[in-house]
Amino acid sequence: KSAAPVNTRVIRKQNHHIAYMEKVLVVWIEDPTSHNTPLSQSLIQSKAPTLQFYEAEGKKAAEEKFEASRGWFMRFKKRSSIHKIKVQD
């Protein structure tokens, strides 16, 4: 007899360097949008890697590969609640 299928969900722990970069990115996003400057998804995706991997003290952390893909952007939008902000493609 086979076991009944179980719904499982894989949960990954987010890298703390990426989490810090996302916090800095949210601050960067909120500044131009408060002045009614439209942002595009591609602009945000190109800005994200430039902010990555800096520690709170401003020291550069270990080099890690990061790609601001469309999937990352969609999850970032959901995590940071920027869906309320106008983001133009």
Side-chain angles (χ1 to χ4, degrees):
K1 296 178 181 179
S2 64
V6 177
N7 290 336
T8 59
R9 184 175 175 181
V10 176
I11 299 174
R12 291 189 305 164
K13 185 176 178 185
Q14 189 179 30
N15 179 314
H16 71 279
H17 298 298
I18 293 174
Y20 180 75
M21 177 272 300
E22 287 184 359
K23 288 178 186 177
V24 173
L25 187 60
V26 167
V27 171
W28 179 81
I29 288 169
E30 288 174 349
D31 181 48
T33 54
S34 66
H35 299 73
N36 295 324
T37 304
L39 293 174
S40 68
Q41 177 178 335
S42 61
L43 178 64
I44 294 169
Q45 284 178 275
S46 64
K47 182 69 174 178
T50 67
L51 301 173
Q52 71 172 347
F53 310 123
Y54 283 88
E55 297 287 348
E57 307 85 42
K59 296 182 208 170
K60 189 154 181 157
E63 287 293 327
E64 295 185 39
K65 198 116 172 132
F66 172 74
E67 183 181 334
S69 64
R70 186 178 193 291
W72 166 83
F73 179 77
M74 300 309 284
R75 290 185 301 276
F76 166 69
K77 254 177 64 169
K78 189 175 183 180
R79 281 191 298 272
S80 59
S81 301
I82 66 167
H83 57 274
K84 297 173 187 168
I85 297 173
K86 284 188 208 174
V87 176
Q88 299 177 347
D89 286 323

